[in-house]
Amino acid sequence: ENPWFFRKLWFVTTLCVIVLMMGSAVFGAMVVIRTDVAPPNPPWPLVLGTWTFMNSTRAAYKLMNESKYEEGKRIALDGLETGGNYCELHPWECDWTVGYGGSPNELGETTLDAMVMWAKTREVGAVGYMKNIKKAISVARKVMEETYHTLLIGGEATQFAVEMGFVKEDLSTDRTRTMLKNWIANGRQPNFWVGKHNYSSNEVQSKLMRKRDNGEIERKKT
């Protein structure tokens, strides 16, 4: 009854089969595929993205297209990381949905998440709620390749990143500070709290939040 639905389902199913069978890697909404075969068989890199972040896609494709075959080298994963890093370091080109300067939490902090997968071995690495590290996808790859863990979160993710040589940096910008200021001025609305925990419906909680916003209550340092 809905031909478009079945065509879309067929496409997604076929793509998943390809991803699982070939030298491919996955990060968020980007999939990269490269047949890492020895010469004279040429590689054919393919980069698929959900959004139209073209420079990120081009960066991933360029690296894979120019890389030479080496036994054991994960060229598709290199391309995936390069594409992800582009958005992480140029978030204004990726609708501020990836990287520093993104939407802050209610404490005014920007935190990052990333996950990578390597199809050949079914390996997975991820970080969540990570603070003060810009290249989240690179840290996720380190989790996958340097540990037996699948996911590290919060302070442990940041600590691991520093141990891996990444530099701690402030992920906040004038943009995020303005977003927080406007949100507070709007009565902390909208938010993701429900019932009695919603600041606008709980007068006691609202008073505590106002005191903290005015500097009467010291914020907990993390």
Side-chain angles (χ1 to χ4, degrees):
E1 296 180 4
N2 189 341
W4 166 243
F5 170 79
F6 289 105
R7 285 198 297 270
K8 188 174 182 179
L9 178 64
W10 175 87
F11 172 77
V12 172
T13 303
T14 303
L15 175 61
C16 289
V17 172
I18 293 174
V19 167
L20 291 174
M21 293 180 63
M22 304 182 65
S24 56
V26 180
F27 160 62
M30 177 183 287
V31 178
V32 298
I33 303 173
R34 186 184 191 277
T35 54
D36 293 329
V37 293
N41 300 307
W44 52 280
L46 173 65
V47 182
L48 301 176
T50 300
W51 301 297
T52 56
F53 302 156
M54 296 307 298
N55 287 333
S56 172
T57 302
R58 291 188 182 102
Y61 181 88
K62 183 175 185 294
L63 183 137
M64 290 190 295
N65 195 49
E66 296 177 354
S67 295
K68 295 182 180 180
Y69 171 83
E70 293 181 23
E71 185 66 32
K73 188 175 182 180
R74 296 178 166 186
I75 296 176
L77 194 56
D78 293 341
L80 182 78
E81 183 178 3
T82 298
N85 284 161
Y86 188 91
C87 273
E88 290 170 335
L89 299 179
H90 305 83
W92 56 90
E93 293 190 27
C94 301
D95 295 341
W96 297 101
T97 58
V98 180
Y100 73 96
S103 297
N105 60 21
E106 64 180 34
L107 299 179
E109 303 166 320
T110 295
T111 61
L112 302 181
D113 313 308
M115 182 184 73
V116 297
M117 301 174 65
W118 182 241
K120 285 185 176 181
T121 58
R122 310 299 189 267
E123 293 173 84
V124 180
V127 292
Y129 197 65
M130 185 173 68
K131 304 176 183 179
N132 301 119
I133 303 294
K134 285 186 176 180
K135 294 184 177 181
I137 184 175
S138 297
V139 181
R141 181 175 181 176
K142 289 292 185 182
V143 172
M144 181 179 74
E145 295 182 333
E146 303 292 341
T147 79
Y148 290 110
H149 295 297
T150 298
L151 170 66
L152 294 178
I153 62 173
E156 285 72 17
T158 301
Q159 180 181 346
F160 170 77
V162 172
E163 292 176 357
M164 291 291 102
F166 294 87
V167 178
K168 294 180 69 173
E169 302 178 75
D170 187 4
L171 302 183
S172 299
T173 63
D174 290 340
R175 176 180 180 273
T176 61
R177 285 184 279 271
T178 299
M179 290 176 68
L180 179 67
K181 181 179 179 181
N182 292 339
W183 180 68
I184 292 173
N186 194 48
R188 294 180 169 270
Q189 296 295 325
N191 62 57
F192 289 92
W193 293 96
V194 296
K196 64 180 182 181
H197 298 294
N198 192 301
Y199 300 137
S200 64
S201 62
N202 185 320
E203 185 59 27
V204 174
Q205 185 74 357
S206 295
K207 286 181 179 179
L208 288 175
M209 291 301 102
R210 283 195 292 271
K211 286 184 177 181
R212 191 180 67 180
D213 295 339
N214 294 331
E216 299 175 43
I217 299 179
E218 184 179 356
R219 292 186 178 186
K220 182 180 179 181
K221 304 295 184 181
T222 56

